[in-house]
Amino acid sequence: MNQSTKAFSLIEVIIAASILSIAIFWVYKLIGENTKLISNNDNYLQANYQLQNITKCIDYFWETIFDTGSTQEYSINFGSGNTECLTGSYNTSFDFTGVTIDGIEYSLFMKTSATGSNYIDWEIGSFWEGVGKITTTYRQIQ
């Protein structure tokens, strides 16, 4: 009697299991990367929102305390309740306490890039190591 049984060989099962394992690993890695991107996107948006707050602080001061003829950089802090507008010397080690939001401390800074009789051009920025340095320009008109 000739019996013919159809089944998978051990090699075929091992190859199929390996392919399935790799596919599942890639899916989990993709989910992890997407979660990380979403989190960083929220932090990036928060850093950009701080740039708007810097412009309000600059408008509040105008040029009364700034040496607009130099390239001096200034750090900005909004106080313990984020209701004040404080400035200090900019330091590349970011010793000046920045703004803390959701447990993340953003260092805010500004410097003049050009001046005219009725305007000052500012380069403003925000820094957090998870996002990096975000800068933009702002023209302050008197």
Side-chain angles (χ1 to χ4, degrees), residues 59-119:
D59 287 339
Y60 173 75
F61 283 119
W62 180 236
E63 62 179 290
T64 56
I65 65 167
F66 303 120
D67 181 7
T68 56
S70 74
T71 58
Q72 170 70 36
E73 293 190 4
Y74 299 94
S75 293
I76 299 175
N77 182 315
F78 298 122
S80 60
N82 289 335
T83 58
E84 303 173 69
C85 191
L86 310 171
T87 63
S89 298
Y90 175 79
N91 185 327
T92 55
S93 66
F94 298 106
D95 289 335
F96 189 75
T97 304
V99 176
T100 303
I101 299 172
D102 295 334
I104 298 172
E105 186 173 312
Y106 299 90
S107 297
L108 309 176
F109 51 92
M110 63 187 185
K111 73 175 181 176
T112 56
S113 57
T115 60
S117 60
N118 65 342
Y119 72 90

Side-chain angles (χ1 to χ4, degrees), residues 3-62:
Q3 280 190 349
S4 174
T5 57
K6 295 187 179 190
F8 292 108
S9 70
L10 182 59
I11 301 291
E12 291 171 329
V13 170
I14 291 173
I15 291 172
S18 298
I19 291 172
L20 186 61
S21 297
I22 290 170
I24 289 173
F25 172 75
W26 282 341
V27 168
Y28 279 123
K29 184 169 173 79
L30 182 65
I31 291 170
E33 290 297 319
N34 284 341
T35 303
K36 185 175 160 184
L37 284 172
I38 290 169
S39 175
N40 280 346
N41 186 41
D42 290 342
N43 294 332
Y44 182 80
L45 286 173
Q46 193 61 254
N48 271 316
Y49 287 143
Q50 297 310 313
L51 298 179
Q52 294 173 357
N53 294 334
I54 294 172
T55 61
K56 291 176 184 175
C57 192
I58 290 171
D59 287 339
Y60 173 75
F61 283 119
W62 180 236

